[in-house]
Amino acid sequence: MMQQTVSPTRAVAFRDVLVVTLLFAVSRILYKFAGVHFDSSNIKEFMQILDLHELQNNFWTSIWYLHSQPPLFNILVGGVLFLGGDAFDVWMGAIYSLVNLAGVLCFFLLSMRLFGVRWLSLLLTAFLIFGPAGILYENKLYYEGLVSPLLVCGFYCFHKYLTGRKAGTGMLAFAIFAAVVLLRTAFHPAWLILLAVLPVLMGRAVLHRTLLVAGIPCLVVGALLVKNLLMFGTPGFSSWLGSNMARMTVETLPADMRADMVKSGKLSPLSGLDVFEKPERYVALLGPSRPTGVVVMDEMKKQVGGFPNYNAEVFLRVNPMLAKDSRQAMLAYPQGFLKRVGTAFYHFNRPPSEFKGLESNVVKIAQPDRFYNLLVQGQPAAIWGLSSDTSRPVAPLLQMGVVKLLFFLATIAASAYFCSRVVAFRHRRLGASECFLVCLAVTVGYAMLVTNVLDVWENNRARYMIDPLMTLLVFAFFFRRRQRSDAATIR
């Protein structure tokens, strides 16, 4: 009897799913015994979260007038505050854990679909489960702890849709992608539209079907986008674009050059201040605006904690001016922008566990985190201890993970390779797996570009967000190239 060949897209045995689930449970129990807990200590000062008083007392009005961030994260925080009360950390921790469990399960299942090697899929999933960065972001009130697993879940459903053409999995995939857009500003609605259009590579019939299953999520995102455009004049879910651009350009100007450009009128007086300055400082320059009657727009400081309110109306006036200043600064001093982008990519290849704000849990798992950064991520500086150790060398090249850097370079190669497959569309339609890998490569390339060209200092946190997708892309690239090499050898 001939032995049946096992396809990479075959159904995975129930025991595999059970093993992954047990590994996840064991890891979380071990980390809990080590003292790791859900940390929401940033809830009052986190600039992305609205005034807690207003979230608890004027929830829907506050969400409706939110212009600084996409709404979903504040909806989640406000909802758990209302339902969980004093048990906020318990309920939010449970939500993060469940989403991350779904993420690791989908990572395993998707890896089996992409390259079909059980031992390798289990090994990569185990690294994802036991890696300190995963547990740290799962237990911190940052949106990366949700966005990272949601991206994996979305692409697993997307692969099932492209290979099976079932409308239900397609609708679920785009609902998850829409949730990512409504959580993280790095994923612009244009990315969602692009994912809905790229299946044209498989033919017009698949494109029409995909547009139908993506219709409702895209309409919801589109309606909210139009609302923001009409109410605030911003063609996106965040009014901070100008400030982010200024951080990459205006901040890099030499002090005397910056002062001269402000004095001559080439830059507005706003560029004489620090980026993301307190709203009172901007009001002092631009003057007060007419009160809106909405607290989250009118207040300069949050009522809970007294921290600056970065959703204040003045930022709607500040950011267009800073965007204009940023273009002038880039033209006058382009080398500053290029150097800042280089700094961003440097931080992008540092271990994500060294991001600020994670310290309360890092100290509980200091040695596992250190050895993971040293042995798995290849960070030379970890030989001398944690980033908080004063005796550790501070040379920049020692802070990057060598393995992370190699993976970054491999991801660029894989993205370029799969995106080049679009050229084949001129001669033939792409298969479902090829089309999927093009979509995955476009997403990874887009995320790497946006998070490093429009932001600096927080890039290792952004790297955590797409690390699982980068891993899947690189290994899929390796197996595709090996299969082509084996086929050429046989011929």
Side-chain angles (χ1 to χ4, degrees), residues 283-304:
V283 170
L285 283 177
L286 301 179
S289 58
R290 180 182 300 176
T292 65
V294 179
V295 176
V296 295
M297 293 275 285
D298 293 337
E299 65 181 1
M300 296 293 105
K301 295 181 180 179
K302 299 179 183 179
Q303 299 169 68
V304 178

Side-chain angles (χ1 to χ4, degrees), residues 168-476:
T169 53
M171 292 179 69
L172 180 57
F174 280 96
I176 295 172
F177 291 147
V180 170
V181 170
L182 296 175
L183 272 171
R184 187 71 159 88
T185 53
F187 291 92
H188 194 272
W191 165 74
L192 181 66
I193 300 299
L194 186 60
L195 288 183
V197 171
L198 277 175
V200 72
L201 299 173
M202 296 173 61
R204 291 186 178 181
V206 180
L207 172 63
H208 294 157
R209 190 178 299 113
T210 304
L211 292 176
L212 287 176
V213 300
I216 294 177
C218 287
L219 284 174
V220 171
V221 170
L224 292 173
L225 196 65
V226 170
K227 186 270 291 185
N228 275 22
L229 183 61
L230 295 176
M231 290 181 63
F232 311 122
T234 55
F237 287 119
S238 175
S239 57
W240 293 350
L241 179 61
S243 295
N244 288 328
M245 292 172 62
R247 178 169 283 172
M248 301 297 291
T249 55
V250 174
E251 275 192 355
T252 68
L253 293 172
D256 55 347
M257 184 179 183
R258 184 173 175 179
D260 288 342
M261 291 183 72
V262 171
K263 186 176 180 180
S264 66
K266 292 181 179 179
L267 297 179
S268 71
L270 296 174
S271 290
L273 302 177
D274 291 335
V275 177
F276 286 111
E277 184 58 87
K278 295 179 180 179
E280 297 95 327
R281 297 290 305 277
Y282 291 130
V283 170
L285 283 177
L286 301 179
S289 58
R290 180 182 300 176
T292 65
V294 179
V295 176
V296 295
M297 293 275 285
D298 293 337
E299 65 181 1
M300 296 293 105
K301 295 181 180 179
K302 299 179 183 179
Q303 299 169 68
V304 178
F307 296 99
N309 172 31
Y310 288 99
N311 194 69
E313 183 277 338
V314 69
F315 287 100
L316 294 174
R317 293 180 283 156
V318 165
N319 280 281
M321 298 173 69
L322 287 180
K324 183 179 179 180
D325 286 356
S326 298
R327 291 189 287 269
Q328 292 295 325
M330 186 181 294
L331 291 173
Y333 194 69
Q335 60 268 40
F337 169 72
L338 294 176
K339 184 178 179 180
R340 187 56 59 97
V341 171
T343 301
F345 277 108
Y346 155 71
H347 286 289
F348 190 71
N349 289 292
R350 291 187 62 183
S353 62
E354 294 187 350
F355 183 75
K356 60 185 179 182
L358 302 173
E359 295 84 1
S360 65
N361 279 321
V362 168
V363 297
K364 307 291 179 53
I365 54 171
Q367 294 311 312
D369 179 51
R370 174 190 173 190
F371 287 114
Y372 188 89
N373 290 344
L374 174 63
L375 301 176
V376 178
Q377 309 207 53
Q379 185 192 40
I383 296 174
W384 292 276
L386 300 173
S387 59
S388 58
D389 293 337
T390 56
S391 60
R392 191 171 105 162
V394 295
L397 290 180
L398 297 178
Q399 313 308 317
M400 289 195 297
V402 176
V403 176
K404 290 188 77 67
L405 180 59
L406 292 175
F407 244 88
F408 169 64
L409 297 175
T411 301
I412 294 175
S415 297
Y417 172 77
F418 288 125
C419 288
S420 70
R421 304 305 299 158
V422 176
V423 178
F425 179 62
R426 294 184 299 175
H427 309 290
R428 63 176 177 84
R429 295 175 181 175
L430 299 188
S433 293
E434 279 186 303
C435 180
F436 172 82
L437 289 169
V438 169
C439 294
L440 185 60
V442 167
T443 296
V444 170
Y446 161 82
M448 288 196 304
L449 184 65
V450 169
T451 56
N452 290 291
V453 170
L454 291 176
D455 196 15
V456 70
W457 316 126
E458 299 185 359
N459 311 90
N460 51 345
R461 190 175 86 171
R463 172 68 178 265
Y464 169 79
M465 182 175 65
I466 59 171
D467 250 339
L469 299 187
M470 293 173 66
T471 302
L472 291 169
L473 187 68
V474 167
F475 277 94

Side-chain angles (χ1 to χ4, degrees), residues 60-67 227 231-232 294 296-297 311:
W60 289 114
T61 300
S62 300
I63 296 298
W64 187 253
Y65 283 91
L66 174 64
H67 61 76
K227 186 270 291 185
M231 290 181 63
F232 311 122
V294 179
V296 295
M297 293 275 285
N311 194 69

